[in-house]
Amino acid sequence: MKTTVSIIKADVGGFPGHATVHPALMKKAEEELEAAKKNGAIKDYFVAKCGDDLDLIISHDKGKDNEGIHKLAWDTFVACTEVAKKMKLYGAGQDLLADTFSGNVKGMGPGSAEIEFEERKSEPLITFLMDKTEPGAFNLPIFRMFGDPFSTAGLVIDETMHSGFTFEVYDVMENKKVMLNTPEETYDLLALIGGKSRYVIKRVYPRGGKVPKEEAVACISTDKLSKIAGKYVGKDDPVAMVRCQSGLPAVGEALEPWAFPHLVSGWMRGSHNGPIMPCGMDDANPSRFDGPPRVVALGFQVADGMLGGAHDFFKDKAYDKAREKALYVADYMRAHGPFEPHRLPSEDMEYTTLPAVLKKLEGRLTEM
């Protein structure tokens, strides 16, 4: 029987402001998922957080897009929202954009990433959780994991990886997708995913090696809240998961790209560029200008559908310099104030609060 791992996340209330998730919400989520585990609805779970986002990591045998699993997550977020409202937490339930559940969380506010697979002899899995940024923030590190030999040495020295990988890329503005193969279509791939606000990697598939070609080995949430709500309702705060080893990037190769705190869109009011800072889950509490943007990496060793607890990778001192560089870049970007390139370009501000400001000036704008 195949194992499915689902990450379903939502912002159901920040404490205080947009900083972190209150322990009471974490406790409530654990109670809901523990009850589901006891009655056999799921195999295992881990409740995590990154910034003000509550992340439910669930293992089960029901496949992707299962209505029961998605409803469990939705009901858990609703229960946590009730706690948040009683505590008057900021933005209580802000990612729950629908009044009732309709079979799947897609298009309803929460983000999700899921992988279904036959367990190998050893099945290491890394979940990546982000806050204060958008799905395209994963483009660069996911490419480096599966397409850049300077990051993943296995692409050169492991013959099972020489066939490369297939990248499923979404155009989130036009609701289209394309499958691109590396290494031969690397330049075409980069031409798209370099435009991270529009083109985002959704899944990666193997083209050879020991994993079946139809099984995704990486999956990223691509839900854009602004596209769903039609206005700014908070940044998308994506999540992802990556399978590792045995014809796939080693755990250390999947973590290597994060030593470089690349620039991502989001930060304050979802309207600024800033460095993504890798940190342990306990340190993923954005503060300065509601940032800098954060990423957490939790590792699991999946066995018979069980997650077996999480290892917090970015607590490692090996990422101290990445954090130092991120803080240096944060200083540099903040010094620009309201000017680009710290503030996003105009075309990326369409769903922020800027249009309301421009509307006030409509009657005063005249021909030159």
Side-chain angles (χ1 to χ4, degrees), residues 13-50:
F15 170 71
H18 294 290
T20 191
V21 176
H22 194 281
L25 271 62
M26 301 281 286
K27 180 181 179 182
K28 185 62 177 177
E30 289 171 353
E31 290 173 353
E32 296 289 318
L33 296 187
E34 181 62 25
K37 181 178 178 180
K38 284 182 177 179
N39 68 28
I42 62 176
K43 293 269 190 170
D44 203 1
Y45 69 91
F46 187 85
V47 175
K49 67 181 179 70
C50 184

Side-chain angles (χ1 to χ4, degrees), residues 43 47 60 63 73 88 160 188 193 196 208 228 238 249 267 299-300 303 337:
K43 293 269 190 170
V47 175
H60 54 95
K88 296 187 177 181
T160 64
D188 296 325
I193 65 174
K196 57 184 173 56
I228 298 170
W267 210 344
F300 299 90

Side-chain angles (χ1 to χ4, degrees), residues 43-242:
K43 293 269 190 170
D44 203 1
Y45 69 91
F46 187 85
V47 175
K49 67 181 179 70
C50 184
D52 55 359
D53 288 298
L54 183 61
D55 300 280
L56 311 180
I57 304 168
I58 303 169
S59 63
H60 54 95
D61 57 11
K62 296 177 171 57
K64 296 178 293 182
D65 298 323
N66 178 267
E67 181 174 349
I69 297 299
H70 281 238
K71 188 174 190 307
L72 170 63
W74 178 265
D75 289 345
T76 299
F77 292 140
V78 169
C80 290
T81 295
E82 291 306 309
V83 176
K85 287 179 177 178
K86 289 178 181 178
M87 300 180 68
K88 296 187 177 181
L89 298 183
Y90 187 77
Q94 74 169 30
D95 281 2
L96 306 186
L97 304 181
D99 294 327
T100 58
F101 179 75
S102 60
N104 192 295
V105 298
K106 291 180 180 178
M108 299 180 68
S112 65
E114 300 178 288
I115 292 182
E116 183 181 14
F117 54 90
E118 291 281 359
E119 289 186 22
R120 299 168 291 167
K121 185 177 180 180
S122 182
E123 195 63 59
L125 178 78
I126 305 176
T127 61
F128 294 98
L129 319 173
M130 287 187 176
D131 186 44
K132 303 299 184 287
T133 186
E134 62 180 3
F138 275 110
N139 283 5
L140 188 151
I142 293 293
F143 170 75
R144 285 186 166 166
M145 291 177 205
F146 293 95
D148 182 4
F150 282 82
S151 182
T152 297
L155 292 167
V156 174
I157 62 178
D158 184 347
E159 64 177 1
T160 64
M161 298 177 71
H162 275 206
S163 298
F165 294 88
T166 298
F167 290 73
E168 183 178 355
V169 179
Y170 280 13
D171 178 343
V172 295
M173 298 301 178
E174 296 292 335
N175 295 317
K176 297 178 179 179
K177 69 176 183 178
V178 62
M179 310 294 280
L180 294 170
N181 296 321
T182 59
E184 64 268 31
E185 293 182 306
T186 294
Y187 297 161
D188 296 325
L189 174 64
L190 290 172
L192 294 185
I193 65 174
K196 57 184 173 56
S197 294
R198 177 167 182 169
Y199 298 100
V200 299
I201 299 170
K202 176 61 181 179
R203 298 181 185 88
V204 180
Y205 296 90
R207 299 177 66 195
K210 303 175 182 179
V211 177
K213 294 181 179 180
E214 68 274 11
E215 286 188 4
V217 293
C219 183
I220 300 92
S221 65
T222 54
D223 314 83
K224 289 184 76 70
L225 287 175
S226 59
K227 290 287 287 182
I228 298 170
K231 61 181 181 179
Y232 176 72
V233 289
K235 215 55 182 171
D236 314 299
D237 304 330
V239 294
M241 67 180 84
V242 175

